[in-house]
């Protein structure tokens, strides 16, 4: 049964929210059915949900961690696809970390010129090449070109008609693998050097007085222990080969020579002059220069102890980092720690245009689009030299993330914000985030190209990168926590037996300085029956795609228009199913395709989320941060962002097994029981809600107070108490944090407390604070739209 019926609309009785399709149930059912091994064959195999724990076995298609499609059976005619209104999109996370039990990526075999490729479309040798003529020729499944097999790549065919060496060569039997690139694939045809991480500190009064600079300096040696090590085919380096460097800036920029007897500071930057002379020895091996780095980390807080400067020359500091990489012939990443709106005279100067009253109105673009092209131009220049930027912002006031964050957006980087930083509360969180950021898998100076079989083509791309032409995504950096969405256009008829093939090639420099190509192949089925599409689509991927697309489109049009289009598209998708695929039933009945039954819920969540609908209760910078998050996040992260997890913390059934994360309940205020406590999280923020009738023993065990009104309102973490209740609760919080991309800040919210209204805005099944419809109301609205389309 691929469809479900929901109530009679005309009956007049109030719909029970618990009868509406539930994401918790969908997640749980898939978990039960599909935990375990997933073999990526045959072509078009629908993977388990992103929320299910599965182990991938590569059967000739890439792992769904690297690539997912909104559909695994593509309608054979463009007309049919258009009629359904279901988008054909891909979500790519080419650096996604493998799970325990999964094979690493193996290196494919190359010939003297590098990997074997199709002469016409330049696709790489992979299971998409079909050998014939006794192995002398191969046909490219993407463009159907017949290619001569290079003599040095020739191999006889076996009795099954496959190359006899098929299982000895990763590129002939696996969906995902890597090629080690030849100098042809490198900048100036020279093999790259090891990349570098450069830490760039703004020396403003805020940064110094809040203890940020001393915190970073005191922990730097420890953080550098976590630099990523390269690995290939299961072989890992024993030490990281990345270089490191340090830059500080206030109204001028300072480099530090790390090689020699003692670290040496050089003040060099002339603000008007784009050319930055970089002294020798600024980038070094962190082990070789360990003593000097330790000395420098002792010195920096001393040198700037009494600073009176309020703002640093951000643009110049980033240019200086870029010049340091360029001067040493390396690519790399800048970790920029910054606190102010750049107001020093010079090209990167910005004005304070914060006006949160505009958020949520038609005029919001005037505060959400960049106010100057300086940071966009700088971003492009950075991509040109393979320098990515992650921005860590510690602001009390407006810093204009919409403008300065462009350097992150264009280079494949990200923005993180720690407003009103207090070392005691936010210090541990910052260090956790930094450690994760530093240690995760990352590549540099990357170019990504998506090739497809004839009849379809990649036309639009959403995420953080730069495009100089219509096909290549340039990413100064790319890491395991980022995803890119690709819109595929269907413009020619496809035959059912042929299928649709996609090959993504990511050319990059690894953390040890090796130039490689990561090849990610995916084969999809084609169908002549529309029902096949509805039986083979992936809603989680579709919603990540919709989110990224919305972030791009609402800056061109308006948030209101984008939301209206999403809603009407949802109705079209569902009406088309009802008309063409569902079994006959009463007109008053809402019929939803099984795999898309949560589409209305998630579209309502997307329409009301802070990235698309954030209003004047948030700052412009906060809104920008949400936009960056949804533009880059993975499928798992977008799901919890749309539909936050609500976890009951006091077990009503004490016999239940008390390990792991508790079973979530529907994200609605009705589920909050006054005699219990709940954790609510969306991957960016976490609330601990405490009911007014929570047992005083529980309060004592967890917080050392008797009642919620005695709680310290500034509490940002739980006291470490030695009793089972406290231990269990802290274990839950730790586990939730370990699953998120960031170390989530905890806010404790007593029932009826003044911050409860903030928490309520995340209870997405309820009516929203700014009039967003509840789940039930939205579903009724969609039902009405569907009925209108049916007539
Ligand atoms: Zn080809």
């Amino acid at each position: 049964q691929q469809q479900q019926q929901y109530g009679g609309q005309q009956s007049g009785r109030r719909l029970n929210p618990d009868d509406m399709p539930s994401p918790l149930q969908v997640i749980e059912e898939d978990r039960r059915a599909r935990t375990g091994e997933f073999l990526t064959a045959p072509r078009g195999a629908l993977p388990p949900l992103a929320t299910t724990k599965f182990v991938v076995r590569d059967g000739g298609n890439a792992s769904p961690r690297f690539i997912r499609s909104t559909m695994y059976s593509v309608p054979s005619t463009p007309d049919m696809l258009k009629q359904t209104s279901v988008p054909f999109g891909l979500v790519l996370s080419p650096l996604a970390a493998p799970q325990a039990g999964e094979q690493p990526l193996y290196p494919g075999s190359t010939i003297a010129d590098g990997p074997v490729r199709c002469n016409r479309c330049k696709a790489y040798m992979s299971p998409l090449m079909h050998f014939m003529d006794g192995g002398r020729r191969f046909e490219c499944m993407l463009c159907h070109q017949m290619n001569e097999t290079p003599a040095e790549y020739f191999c006889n065919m076996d009795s099954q008609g496959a190359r006899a060496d098929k299982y000895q060569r990763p590129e002939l039997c696996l969906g995902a693998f890597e090629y080690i690139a030849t100098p042809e694939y490198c900048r100036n045809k020279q093999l790259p050097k090891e990349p570098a991480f450069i830490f760039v500190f703004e020396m403003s009064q805020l940064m110094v007085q809040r203890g940020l600079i001393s915190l970073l300096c005191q922990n730097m040696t420890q953080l550098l222990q976590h630099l990523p090590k390269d690995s290939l085919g299961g072989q890992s380096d024993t030490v990281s080969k990345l270089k490191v460097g340090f830059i500080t800036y206030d109204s001028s920029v300072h480099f530090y020579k790390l090689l020699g007897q003692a670290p040496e500071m050089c003040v060099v930057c002339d603000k008007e002059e784009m050319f930055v002379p970089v002294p020798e020895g600024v980038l070094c091996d962190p082990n070789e220069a360990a003593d000097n780095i330790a000395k420098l980390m002792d010195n920096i807080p001393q040198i700037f102890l009494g600073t009176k400067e309020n703002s640093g020359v951000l643009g110049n500091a980033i240019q200086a980092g870029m010049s340091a990489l360029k001067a040493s012939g390396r690519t790399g990443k800048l970790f920029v720690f910054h606190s102010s709106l750049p107001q020093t005279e010079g090209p990167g100067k910005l004005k304070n245009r914060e006006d949160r009253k505009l958020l949520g109105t038609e005029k919001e673009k005037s505060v959400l689009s960049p106010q100057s092209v300086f940071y966009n131009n700088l971003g492009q220049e950075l991509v040109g030299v393979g320098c990515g930027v992650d921005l860590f912002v510690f602001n009390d006031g407006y810093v204009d993330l919409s403008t300065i964050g462009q350097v992150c957006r264009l280079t494949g980087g990200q923005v993180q914000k720690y407003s009103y930083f207090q070392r005691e509360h936010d210090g541990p969180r910052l260090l956790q985030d930094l450690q994760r950021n530093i240690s995760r898998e990352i590549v540099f100076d990357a170019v990504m190209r998506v090739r497809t079989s004839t009849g379809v083509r990649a036309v639009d791309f959403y995420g953080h990168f730069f495009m100089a032409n219509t096909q290549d995504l340039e990413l100064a950096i790319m890491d395991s926590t980022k995803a890119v969405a690709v819109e595929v256009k269907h413009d020619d008829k496809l035959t059912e037996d042929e299928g649709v093939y996609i090959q993504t090639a990511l050319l990059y420099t690894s953390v040890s300085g090796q130039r490689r190509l990561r090849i990610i192949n995916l084969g999809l089925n084609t169908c002549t029956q529309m029902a096949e599409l509805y039986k083979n689509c992936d809603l989680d991927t579709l919603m990540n795609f919709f989110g990224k697309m919305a972030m791009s489109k609402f800056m061109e049009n308006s948030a209101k228009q984008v939301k209206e289009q999403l809603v009407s598209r949802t109705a079209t998708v569902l009406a088309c199913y009802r008309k063409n695929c569902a079994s006959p039933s009463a007109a008053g009945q809402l019929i939803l395709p099984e795999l898309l039954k949560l589409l209305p819920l998630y579209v309502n969540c997307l329409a009301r989320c802070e990235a698309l609908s954030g209003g004047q209760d948030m700052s412009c910078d906060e809104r920008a941060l949400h936009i960056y998050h949804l533009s880059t996040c993975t499928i798992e992260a977008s799901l919890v962002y749309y539909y936050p997890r609500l976890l009951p913390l006091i077990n009503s059934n004490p016999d239940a097994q008390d390990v792991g994360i508790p079973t979530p309940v529907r994200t609605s205020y009705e589920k909050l029981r006054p005699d219990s406590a709940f954790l609510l999280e969306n991957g960016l923020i976490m609330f601990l809600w405490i009911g007014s009738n929570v047992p005083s023993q529980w309060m004592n065990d967890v917080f050392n107070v008797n009642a919620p009104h005695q709680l310290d309102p500034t509490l940002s973490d739980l006291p470490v108490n030695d009793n089972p209740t406290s231990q269990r609760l802290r274990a839950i919080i730790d586990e939730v944090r370990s699953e998120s991309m960031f170390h989530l800040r905890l806010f404790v919210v007593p029932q009826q407390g003044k911050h409860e209204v903030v928490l309520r805005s995340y209870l997405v099944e309820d009516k929203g604070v700014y009039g967003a419809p509840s789940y039930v109301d939205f579903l009724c609205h969609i039902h009405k739209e569907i009925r209108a389309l049916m007539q």
Side-chain angles (χ1 to χ4, degrees), residues 118 121 140 142-143 145:
C118 169
C121 75
C140 170
L142 298 181
C143 72
Q145 168 83 348

Side-chain angles (χ1 to χ4, degrees), residues 193-261:
K193 294 184 187 174
E194 304 88 346
F197 279 174
I198 305 181
F199 298 88
V200 186
F201 303 141
E202 184 194 35
M203 291 298 166
S204 63
Q205 250 182 344
L206 186 150
M207 296 284 286
V208 172
Q209 288 175 1
R210 295 279 169 85
L212 259 158
I213 296 300
S214 58
L215 181 76
L216 292 168
C217 289
Q218 281 160 11
N219 290 282
M220 189 51 69
T221 299
Q222 195 271 333
L223 286 168
L224 294 181
Q225 304 296 314
H226 297 278
L227 290 175
K229 302 179 184 91
D230 203 3
S231 71
L232 180 63
Q235 303 284 323
S236 291
D237 286 347
T238 48
V239 288
S240 174
K241 293 185 178 152
L242 281 176
K243 306 294 173 194
V244 298
F246 300 91
I247 289 173
T248 57
Y249 64 104
D250 39 32
S251 52
S252 51
V253 177
H254 328 104
F255 284 111
Y256 298 88
K257 286 198 221 177
L258 293 164
L259 296 176
Q261 285 295 80

Side-chain angles (χ1 to χ4, degrees), residues 327-380:
S328 71
R330 296 177 198 280
T331 57
K333 166 167 158 178
L334 311 182
F335 292 74
V336 181
F337 300 88
H338 183 80
S339 72
S340 64
L341 182 70
Q343 283 185 303
T344 320
E345 281 308 325
K349 182 182 173 183
L350 298 178
K351 61 176 191 292
N352 187 339
R353 56 166 181 166
E354 161 82 325
D355 188 354
R356 60 170 70 190
K357 284 195 301 297
L358 298 181
L359 296 180
T361 72
E362 292 282 321
K363 289 191 188 136
E364 65 182 6
K365 270 181 280 182
S366 65
V367 285
L368 294 176
S369 50
Q371 63 166 292
S372 105
V373 294
F374 176 81
Y375 295 90
N376 294 64
N377 293 341
L378 181 56
Q380 286 188 35

Side-chain angles (χ1 to χ4, degrees), residues 117-124 129 138-147 451-452:
R117 304 175 71 169
C118 169
N119 287 330
R120 187 198 282 162
C121 75
K122 301 293 173 201
Y124 294 85
M129 302 297 174
F138 62 91
E139 185 190 350
C140 170
M141 300 297 278
L142 298 181
C143 72
H144 298 294
Q145 168 83 348
M146 280 295 178
N147 297 276
R451 292 184 172 82
T452 57

Side-chain angles (χ1 to χ4, degrees), residues 392-468:
F392 296 80
V393 173
F394 306 91
N395 62 324
D396 280 2
Y398 180 60
V399 296
D400 199 351
L401 285 184
S402 297
T403 302
I404 63 176
Q406 295 296 321
V407 293
C408 307
R409 183 177 74 79
L410 291 163
T411 62
Q414 72 185 48
V415 183
Q416 272 174 266
K417 187 161 87 59
Y418 306 81
S419 298
Y420 305 102
F421 185 89
Q422 286 178 287
R423 186 168 169 163
E424 184 195 341
H425 293 301
D426 305 305
R429 180 163 70 100
L430 169 64
L431 293 175
Q432 288 279 346
D433 283 344
L434 261 179
Q435 184 177 318
R436 278 200 221 182
N437 189 320
I438 287 172
S439 60
R440 69 192 176 201
E441 184 159 10
I442 182 170
V443 301
F444 305 87
D445 200 17
V447 182
M448 190 160 98
R449 167 78 71 98
V450 179
R451 292 184 172 82
T452 57
S453 50
T454 42
V456 302
R457 67 200 156 94
V459 287
D460 260 316
F461 304 88
Y462 309 112
H464 281 192
F465 49 77
F466 173 69
M467 288 185 85

Side-chain angles (χ1 to χ4, degrees), residues 44-276:
L46 190 66
L49 295 183
T51 42
T52 295
K53 286 196 168 50
F54 56 92
V55 177
V56 178
R57 195 151 66 84
D58 190 325
N61 283 299
S63 161
R65 302 189 206 291
F66 296 134
I67 184 168
R68 275 180 179 263
S69 175
T70 57
M71 57 185 71
Y72 286 81
S73 197
V74 182
S76 57
T77 66
D79 273 356
M80 195 200 288
L81 181 62
K82 204 171 164 206
Q83 208 186 333
T84 66
S85 222
V86 179
F88 184 10
L90 307 167
V91 174
L92 283 151
S93 275
L95 272 292
Q99 297 300 296
E102 290 178 356
Q103 293 199 319
L105 293 188
Y106 293 107
S109 46
T110 55
I111 57 175
D113 313 339
V116 177
R117 304 175 71 169
C118 169
N119 287 330
R120 187 198 282 162
C121 75
K122 301 293 173 201
Y124 294 85
M125 178 52 62
S126 71
L128 301 184
M129 302 297 174
H130 191 70
F131 283 85
M132 49 188 64
D133 280 356
R136 283 182 296 274
R137 295 198 299 161
F138 62 91
E139 185 190 350
C140 170
M141 300 297 278
L142 298 181
C143 72
H144 298 294
Q145 168 83 348
M146 280 295 178
N147 297 276
E148 300 286 322
T149 308
E152 47 184 315
Y153 199 73
F154 176 79
C155 178
N156 289 315
M157 308 289 274
D158 65 14
S159 54
Q160 264 87 53
R163 277 174 63 119
D165 61 352
K166 179 173 173 184
Y167 293 101
Q168 275 85 59
R169 294 185 188 262
E171 77 274 16
L172 296 180
C173 61
L174 296 174
F177 54 89
E178 299 204 301
Y179 282 122
I180 295 168
T182 49
E184 286 294 307
Y185 293 86
C186 304
R187 245 168 222 279
N188 309 320
K189 306 208 166 157
Q190 285 189 327
L191 292 174
K193 294 184 187 174
E194 304 88 346
F197 279 174
I198 305 181
F199 298 88
V200 186
F201 303 141
E202 184 194 35
M203 291 298 166
S204 63
Q205 250 182 344
L206 186 150
M207 296 284 286
V208 172
Q209 288 175 1
R210 295 279 169 85
L212 259 158
I213 296 300
S214 58
L215 181 76
L216 292 168
C217 289
Q218 281 160 11
N219 290 282
M220 189 51 69
T221 299
Q222 195 271 333
L223 286 168
L224 294 181
Q225 304 296 314
H226 297 278
L227 290 175
K229 302 179 184 91
D230 203 3
S231 71
L232 180 63
Q235 303 284 323
S236 291
D237 286 347
T238 48
V239 288
S240 174
K241 293 185 178 152
L242 281 176
K243 306 294 173 194
V244 298
F246 300 91
I247 289 173
T248 57
Y249 64 104
D250 39 32
S251 52
S252 51
V253 177
H254 328 104
F255 284 111
Y256 298 88
K257 286 198 221 177
L258 293 164
L259 296 176
Q261 285 295 80
E264 208 179 304
M265 176 173 168
C266 326
V267 182
V268 285
C269 200
D270 175 349
K271 282 190 284 293
E272 298 304 318
E273 181 56 66
M274 299 295 259
F275 174 73
V276 186

